[in-house]
Amino acid sequence: MSASKRRIVIYPGSFDPVTNGHLDIVRRASVLFDHVVVAVSDNSLKHPLFSLLERRDMLVLALKPEIKSGKVSVDSFSGLLVRYAVRKGAVAVIRGLRAVSDFEYEFQMALMNRRQECRVETVFLMPDERYTYLSSSLLKDILRMGGDVDGFIPPVLIPKLRRKISKTPLP
Ligand code: ADP
């Protein structure tokens, strides 16, 4: 397939840090599209725990086989998501829906994005049930309190996360 015919999709997010819920969505998206660009948003208003570079590096570690196969790449962006999507030649943006509580905000964002750029669709995917109650912020809370995070993040990332959390005082 020629490069211009590849159906590229963007999966944007804070990924602070990436969880198995995010990875589940990436894998589902890579079945539907030719290439998934996991795009870390550089939005300092969200005050992420991990720097942009750290968040990218963790994604690269977690998605090593998918990146090697050419199905997935990791990037970062700032500014309007839909403008970035057009620059990347993407046909759609993926968002994950865990529960009804995600819906209202995601619906609003999807329609606003369509208003900004009608060429980019938003596609919602649901993760495996195991991840429907998992979020990056809950994961950080559990780590801070020394809880068990097995099955929620790739094991290769656990020491990195524990180190960072122990060095970062609570806000
Ligand atoms: P954002 O700040 O853009 O919401 P997140 O990293 O929190 O960034 O989430 C990125 C996307 O991944 C969002 O669409 C979110 O709904 C989805 N997501 C987050 N956690 C999960 C999960 N456990 N299962 C499925 N999707 C998830």
Side-chain angles (χ1 to χ4, degrees):
M1 193 181 294
S2 75
S4 61
K5 289 269 160 53
R6 285 201 318 166
R7 296 179 73 76
I8 297 168
V9 72
I10 309 289
Y11 180 33
S14 308
F15 305 107
D16 185 40
V18 59
T19 70
N20 285 347
H22 294 126
L23 298 175
D24 180 283
I25 297 292
V26 173
R27 288 175 188 131
R28 286 172 200 281
S30 70
V31 175
L32 299 174
F33 292 88
D34 299 312
H35 188 80
V36 183
V37 180
V38 183
V40 185
S41 84
D42 185 13
N43 180 356
S44 51
L45 291 177
K46 289 215 166 187
H47 303 296
L49 172 66
F50 293 93
S51 70
L52 188 65
L53 194 62
E54 286 171 324
R55 287 179 281 148
R56 281 185 66 148
D57 283 352
M58 285 188 282
L59 278 161
V60 168
L61 259 180
L63 289 165
K64 223 174 197 171
E66 290 81 357
I67 293 172
K68 204 166 168 203
S69 75
K71 284 290 289 183
V72 173
S73 57
V74 175
D75 193 15
S76 52
F77 74 102
S78 56
L80 267 188
L81 168 64
V82 283
R83 276 203 201 129
Y84 168 75
V86 169
R87 274 204 312 278
K88 293 299 264 188
V91 292
V93 163
I94 293 282
R95 294 291 287 175
L97 275 188
R98 284 161 291 188
V100 184
S101 50
D102 279 339
F103 180 76
E104 196 161 335
Y105 172 74
E106 293 293 346
F107 185 65
Q108 207 180 357
M109 282 296 294
L111 292 182
M112 183 53 87
N113 281 339
R114 181 183 283 163
R115 173 72 200 269
Q116 304 293 317
E117 176 50 75
C118 63
R119 288 172 292 176
V120 178
E121 285 294 346
T122 301
V123 175
F124 294 109
L125 293 177
M126 285 154 294
D128 188 283
E129 287 128 40
R130 279 177 294 172
Y131 308 127
T132 50
Y133 56 93
L134 175 60
S135 68
S136 299
S137 41
L138 195 51
L139 180 83
K140 283 179 284 192
D141 288 345
I142 300 292
L143 277 167
R144 267 189 200 106
M145 292 181 275
D148 174 18
V149 293
D150 271 4
F152 293 147
I153 32 172
V156 64
L157 299 183
I158 296 181
K160 244 182 216 306
L161 296 185
R162 288 207 190 282
R163 250 194 326 272
K164 180 80 177 191
I165 297 251
S166 69
K167 278 199 265 168
T168 315
L170 277 175

